[in-house]
Amino acid sequence: MKVLVATDKPFAKEAVEGIREAVEKAGFELALLEKYTEKSQLLDAVKDANAIIIRSDIIDAEVLDAAKNLKIVVRAGAGYDNVDLDSATAHNVCVMNTPGQNANAVAELAFGMMVAGVRNFYDGSSGTELLGKKLGIHAYGNVGRNVARIAKGFGMEVYAYDAFCPTDVIEKDGVKALNSAEELYKNCQFVSLHIPATAETKQSINHALLSKMPKGAMLINTARKEVINETDLEKTMEERLDFKYVTDVMPGNHEKLKESYAKRYFSTPQKMGAQTAEANINAGIAAAHQIVDFLKNGNEKFRVNK
Ligand code: 3PG
């Protein structure tokens, strides 16, 4: 059995070593395709793979067609919007993610960006503090929970809205559960986004929500660029001189935002949330174990397609 690690943005070396160990211990072979620049390289590499470990790499129908021996794809991470799930099902390929494994890394980056934002990106001017401020966590999954834990250390008042997570689960963490996104945006000066990109959430962060945020508002996006209505974001930044946007997922209108709102806008050059040795090791090795357990024992615990 051949396990391919196909990562446009490579894992830390220690993570690859851990993956290799897990794969080879099971008697399987490991192949590596890192930092590839052309889709043709991926199409070529998947030809004889029985399993693939990916990150934000796109697995579409063309890739699945080329991967004739493929049985499983594991997205080492949380969001699997980069995998065509219907096509995978049609190709009889199991798709999994590794929930929670990189969550702390993403949550820590949200705070790194929040601190940079309130300190005016270290331009020498006087900034503000997070202590005592209201933070709204939009979606209380693995990353949201880590954000809540860290926010308490900063002495923030923590709120959350999650359409699917029960109130008691949120409130047992000492976080106030709100009943709607509107309430969250209206109440919280800081909102940290942790919703996945789905048909329902795409473009859902719009002017109606953003314009409700209190004075000195900051939106922190370590989730997906697709959930933002970028025209509405631009309109909000234009209307409100107090509004800041910090993101780890570069928007389509990055150049425009950078040019017009340099003092209130920041984007990482490429998604860095999960780019830590720890997150790579946790997610990468979990992916390898899930593959071994699926191929040897048929365990489908983390399957996300039907
Ligand atoms: C995820 O969904 O797990 C994060 O967005 C991390 O993505 P990455 O592995 O491409 O950095």
Side-chain angles (χ1 to χ4, degrees):
M1 289 281 175
K2 189 164 179 175
V3 179
L4 170 71
V5 174
T7 48
D8 161 32
K9 185 173 59 189
F11 288 124
K13 199 169 143 277
E14 307 92 293
V16 177
E17 282 163 9
I19 293 170
R20 181 180 298 284
E21 200 185 309
V23 167
E24 291 179 353
K25 202 169 150 206
F28 301 158
E29 185 194 337
L30 187 82
L32 265 184
L33 174 71
E34 293 181 316
K35 287 191 193 172
Y36 58 95
T37 49
E38 306 296 329
K39 188 177 185 183
S40 59
Q41 294 171 271
L42 179 63
L43 292 174
D44 199 43
V46 300
K47 268 187 194 145
D48 57 350
N50 303 105
I52 313 178
I53 297 175
I54 52 156
R55 296 184 63 179
S56 290
D57 308 79
I58 308 287
I59 302 295
D60 59 14
E62 195 184 0
V63 176
L64 291 160
D65 279 343
K68 297 277 180 255
N69 300 328
L70 191 61
K71 296 187 180 338
I72 178 167
V73 174
V74 181
R75 193 282 189 242
Y80 43 85
D81 46 304
N82 48 319
V83 181
D84 184 334
L85 296 187
D86 291 339
S87 179
T89 303
H91 284 81
N92 205 17
V93 169
C94 172
V95 182
M96 295 186 188
N97 65 349
T98 65
Q101 301 289 354
N102 59 18
N104 179 64
V106 178
E108 286 190 12
L109 185 74
F111 280 89
M113 295 200 301
M114 232 184 285
V115 171
V118 290
R119 296 305 182 98
N120 302 322
F121 306 106
Y122 315 117
D123 69 353
S125 67
S126 195
T128 56
E129 299 180 20
L130 297 177
L131 179 70
K133 306 289 181 348
K134 290 181 179 169
L135 171 68
I137 301 176
H138 193 165
Y140 205 67
N142 290 305
V143 183
R145 282 158 220 231
N146 277 281
V147 167
R149 172 180 52 80
I150 301 168
K152 281 189 245 154
F154 273 91
M156 299 184 87
E157 255 183 65
V158 192
Y159 297 77
Y161 168 67
D162 188 312
F164 306 100
C165 184
T167 300
D168 58 318
V169 171
I170 298 175
E171 302 218 322
K172 80 165 176 18
D173 289 350
V175 173
K176 176 95 189 85
L178 297 177
N179 293 321
S180 66
E182 286 72 20
E183 252 190 273
L184 191 82
Y185 286 73
K186 202 169 143 219
N187 273 288
C188 299
Q189 182 184 347
F190 297 84
V191 172
S192 191
L193 278 169
H194 304 292
I195 48 177
T198 63
E200 291 75 36
T201 64
K202 280 182 186 167
Q203 306 265 329
S204 66
I205 308 306
N206 55 20
H207 187 258
L209 287 177
L210 299 177
S211 60
K212 285 195 176 60
M213 289 180 74
K215 197 167 169 1
M218 186 188 297
L219 180 69
I220 304 104
N221 186 2
T222 53
R224 291 290 182 270
K225 71 172 184 153
E226 291 82 2
V227 301
I228 304 279
N229 181 319
E230 292 179 353
T231 312
D232 283 14
L233 171 69
E234 214 172 299
K235 185 173 168 203
T236 310
M237 299 211 54
E238 193 181 322
E239 284 171 4
R240 291 186 49 170
L241 301 182
D242 64 318
F243 189 98
K244 286 182 180 153
Y245 182 53
V246 291
T247 181
D248 187 35
V249 280
M250 190 180 279
N253 52 354
H254 168 72
E255 286 307 327
K256 173 77 198 303
L257 294 176
K258 198 171 120 191
E259 196 185 293
S260 310
Y261 310 111
K263 287 190 177 298
R264 296 188 280 124
Y265 166 74
F266 170 80
S267 173
T268 51
Q270 73 172 150
K271 190 160 52 136
M272 295 299 294
Q275 200 59 329
T276 65
E278 292 89 336
N280 291 171
I281 290 168
N282 293 342
I285 297 176
H289 285 307
Q290 286 173 215
I291 285 174
V292 171
D293 205 16
F294 172 79
L295 292 177
K296 285 201 184 276
N297 311 315
N299 188 342
E300 299 196 353
K301 182 169 175 204
F302 295 102
R303 185 172 185 135
V304 294
N305 63 329
K306 292 195 187 98

